[in-house]
Amino acid sequence: MPTLSRDGDVAVLNIGRDENRFTPDWLNAMHERLDELAQHVTPIALVTVADGKFWSNGLDLDWLMSHADEAEWYVDTVQRLLSRVLALPMPTVAAIQGHCFAAGGMLAMAHDWRVMRADRGFFCLPEVDLNLPFPPGMDALLRAKLTPKTAIEAMTTGRRYGGDDALAAGLVDAAVPEAVVRAAALDIVRPLTGKAGPNLGVIKSTMFAEAIAKLAVVDRPAS
């Protein structure tokens, strides 16, 4: 389950050590950790890390298929998580040490910056191969963060990007050896902790207003 700790003025959110799929328990724990983060009053920034082979493999499709009656709750909870991270009133970095797929990639993109392991692991948006459309909110999030060229390639081909290719495409902001992924992420935000506060939250909420508004809406089947 996700845990929250501190490294000086930087909060470190560890999202887990397995595939870190978006199970209901995991989602609830993530929202609880964000609630804890909101209680901090000192200058702060966020680095989101994971352990092991995966950063996150995204949605728990097996659970979703077997709980169709809870689909609206599930999608709403996922989209609120993306929206909350997108508008956090502090600098944020995803420290991607392993595979980052599908909604896991969207969670990474909701951060301000991304640092990825250069030698192993893939960043991939495989929805086209899973025959899954991007809901309007997730589409808006990705298009707000990616160039049109990269959005078309990543979203319509399902390409798997290694660290260096992800850097070249603008999916991540740095590709470094595994041993320094977390340190590189910390180096990005440590000088920026003084920027945290309500004003930064307003700036982000305005900058990403379209994505935030669309993430607040859950598609529901016609009655």
Side-chain angles (χ1 to χ4, degrees), residues 6-73:
R6 291 287 291 267
D7 188 326
D9 278 344
V10 179
V12 179
L13 175 60
N14 190 316
I15 61 175
R17 59 176 58 254
D18 51 28
E19 290 191 21
N20 303 322
R21 286 190 180 272
F22 293 17
T23 67
D25 287 345
W26 185 91
L27 285 167
N28 287 332
M30 283 289 285
H31 280 288
E32 290 171 0
R33 300 296 84 75
L34 293 182
D35 290 343
E36 291 176 25
L37 193 60
Q39 297 173 9
H40 289 291
V41 295
T42 57
I44 198 169
L46 175 69
V47 171
T48 303
V49 304
D51 295 313
K53 183 178 179 180
F54 299 92
W55 194 78
S56 174
N57 251 351
L59 301 185
D60 187 346
L61 295 177
D62 290 339
W63 183 92
L64 186 57
M65 291 177 65
S66 63
H67 295 79
D69 58 325
E70 298 182 68
E72 289 183 8
W73 169 86

Side-chain angles (χ1 to χ4, degrees), residues 80-100:
R80 283 193 299 110
L81 174 63
L82 298 176
S83 179
R84 291 183 74 180
V85 174
L86 187 62
L88 278 173
M90 62 190 68
T92 62
V93 185
I96 306 167
Q97 91 300 337
H99 296 307
C100 186

